[in-house]
Amino acid sequence: MILIDYKSRKPIYEQIIENMKQLVVSGALKRDEQIPSVRQLAQELAINPNTIQKAYAELERQGVIYSLKGRGSFVGSSLQELRNIQQNERLEELAALSKELYRLQVPQEELYLVIQQVYKQQKEDEIHD
């Protein structure tokens, strides 16, 4: 299910992209499974079909989905492929953030400590879920 936060600063088409990727990563959508048509999703979310088309075009460019003329759009990436893509994207973001923290003279040890605390908290949260 795709959820749109209309109060978010993030554009709606980007929210759709993230939601679709999350549906694949979570296993809710499987490789080669058909996704809703542009018109159908636009009606469900009550947004302009051009916004959906823009999101689908970007998802297709990224290889997350593919289209077959006259048949619709389908999931193109497997769970593992999409996880790898997302991991690489997040590691690039972390590298950029690390450079910024370095320029701000944040000690390397402090960065390690923050990462360790986040991982520890995530593991504890998983145990309690």
Side-chain angles (χ1 to χ4, degrees), residues 79-110:
L79 172 66
Q80 191 56 48
E81 289 169 333
L82 195 51
R83 276 190 182 154
N84 290 341
I85 291 168
Q86 288 185 326
Q87 285 175 357
N88 289 335
E89 288 173 352
R90 297 306 167 266
L91 288 171
E92 288 174 11
E93 291 171 8
L94 181 59
L97 184 58
S98 296
K99 287 178 186 176
E100 188 176 329
L101 291 169
Y102 177 81
R103 284 192 291 268
L104 292 171
Q105 299 178 350
V106 173
Q108 188 174 6
E109 296 75 23
E110 193 170 337

Side-chain angles (χ1 to χ4, degrees), residues 27-38:
L29 289 175
K30 308 251 185 283
R31 187 181 188 111
D32 298 321
E33 183 176 336
Q34 188 167 12
I35 61 174
S37 69
V38 169

